Amino acid sequence: MSDRARLRIAFQGELGSFSDEAIQQLYGAEVQRLPYRDFADVTASVASGVADRGVLPIENTMAGSIAGAHDAIAAMPGLHVVAETVVAVHHCLLGPPTTRFEQVTSVLCHPVALAQCQRFFAENPQLEVHPSYDTAGAAMDVSKVGDPAFAAVASRRAALHYELKVLRADIEDRPDNQTRFLAFSRVPQPLPDGTPARTMVTVTTGDAPGSLLAVLTPLATHGVSIRRLESRPTGEPWSYRFFIEFDHLVGDERAAAVQQEIAQHSATARFLGTFPRWGAGRRGSVGWNSGAVSPV
């Protein structure tokens, strides 16, 4: 058995999900995939050593930030983000093999997928939507029930895996719909100097005017590009945690200065990882990270 085949990758959902596709983009098809129902179970499995890596969706181009993934990563100390990838998300309406679209009355659909397919359901008000914890999980349930009245919103990969029929293809509101995934492990991944990279940090600030501005100012001062700023409640009433991501080259002294100054101006700061930037060098955003660094 190869080293890669021994790699255990935890993810939320079932086989055939978009998370499963993200794993195969990052690590290939021969790794061991460990499905879990909840985001927190994924992070816990990596922290405990049951899994070598975890992969979670972090944001979608239409539905936005995936809150549960942010919270699960922040709640589990000792994890390091080591890779990212982006999956093109095309949703299909899937039913048992002999089903006709006109027979469907109930659809199992993940809430995030529903947010990406609003036009389709607006045009088909006869379909009653029922929430599901996972797109592939919805497909699995429809396959088990085998009732033509029930369908699922999931991928073509799920249709093949669970032997379902594509009743309507590409029902997402936008054809360029994409989801970004992060991979994390218990140890950071060393990267060669010059690698196009992204660093992710989570901070809390003092309760004073300009506190967040003081945390962000080092990025502007040193000419480092911020890519994303996301806020999540800490759990304490009206207190927030900020996720900051910025791009740089590994070994750039400006990035090191930014990290030091962010920590100085924050009430708390935790650097979640520096990882190869997906799509670097491909003029845009659709593609592989650069090919120079293996995301293991």
Side-chain angles (χ1 to χ4, degrees):
M1 182 183 293
S2 69
D3 289 342
R4 185 149 290 205
R6 282 191 286 265
L7 202 62
R8 301 162 300 173
I9 315 291
F11 68 102
Q12 187 273 334
E14 301 292 342
L15 297 174
S17 66
F18 292 105
S19 293
D20 187 9
E21 185 169 342
I23 288 172
Q24 296 192 50
Q25 283 186 191
L26 283 167
Y27 299 107
E30 61 179 339
V31 298
Q32 300 177 48
R33 286 115 69 204
L34 308 179
Y36 288 90
R37 189 175 182 90
D38 299 314
F39 293 138
D41 294 333
V42 175
T43 55
S45 71
V46 178
S48 67
V50 171
D52 302 301
R53 303 283 189 277
V55 171
L56 289 180
I58 202 73
E59 60 177 329
N60 174 265
T61 54
M62 293 177 60
S65 171
I66 307 206
H70 286 80
D71 295 343
I73 293 172
M76 189 61 66
L79 297 183
H80 304 268
V81 181
V82 295
E84 67 173 349
T85 193
V86 173
V87 173
V89 176
H90 299 292
H91 294 294
C92 301
L93 187 71
L94 309 179
T98 60
T99 302
R100 290 177 289 105
F101 176 72
E102 293 74 20
Q103 295 176 282
V104 177
T105 59
S106 299
V107 178
L108 305 184
C109 184
H110 189 282
V112 174
L114 177 61
Q116 299 164 24
C117 303
Q118 294 184 28
R119 185 182 302 116
F120 172 80
F121 286 104
E123 293 171 351
N124 294 278
Q126 78 279 10
L127 300 176
E128 183 178 353
V129 180
H130 303 274
S132 176
Y133 74 99
D134 177 55
T135 54
M140 180 176 67
D141 289 342
V142 166
S143 178
K144 288 179 178 179
V145 172
D147 186 336
F150 287 87
V153 174
S155 67
R156 286 180 176 84
R157 182 186 295 270
L160 291 172
H161 190 83
Y162 297 106
E163 299 181 340
L164 295 175
K165 178 182 179 181
V166 176
L167 303 173
R168 292 290 186 273
D170 302 332
I171 64 172
E172 65 278 358
D173 292 343
R174 289 183 59 101
D176 56 356
N177 185 30
Q178 301 170 52
T179 297
R180 178 172 169 244
F181 292 82
L182 296 181
F184 50 90
S185 73
R186 294 181 301 280
V187 294
Q189 176 188 340
L191 299 173
D193 284 353
T195 301
R198 181 167 293 179
T199 289
M200 186 176 196
V201 58
T202 179
V203 305
T204 59
T205 64
D207 186 11
S211 295
L212 180 58
L213 177 61
V215 170
L216 297 177
T217 295
L219 290 151
T221 301
H222 295 284
V224 174
S225 179
I226 184 170
R227 303 308 304 174
R228 199 165 71 99
L229 176 64
E230 185 72 35
S231 67
R232 291 292 303 149
T234 64
E236 297 180 10
W238 316 123
S239 174
Y240 298 90
R241 173 183 293 110
F242 297 95
F243 290 81
I244 303 167
E245 294 186 64
F246 56 91
D247 290 349
H248 58 95
L249 298 179
V250 174
D252 190 334
E253 294 182 356
R254 295 177 299 169
V258 164
Q259 293 190 43
Q260 182 179 11
E261 293 174 29
I262 284 177
Q264 289 173 350
H265 292 290
S266 304
T268 64
R270 175 184 162 202
F271 286 87
L272 296 172
T274 296
F275 47 94
R277 196 186 318 154
W278 179 88
R282 295 182 65 107
R283 282 176 153 179
S285 50
V286 178
W288 184 237
N289 54 35
S290 73
V293 180
S294 175
V296 295

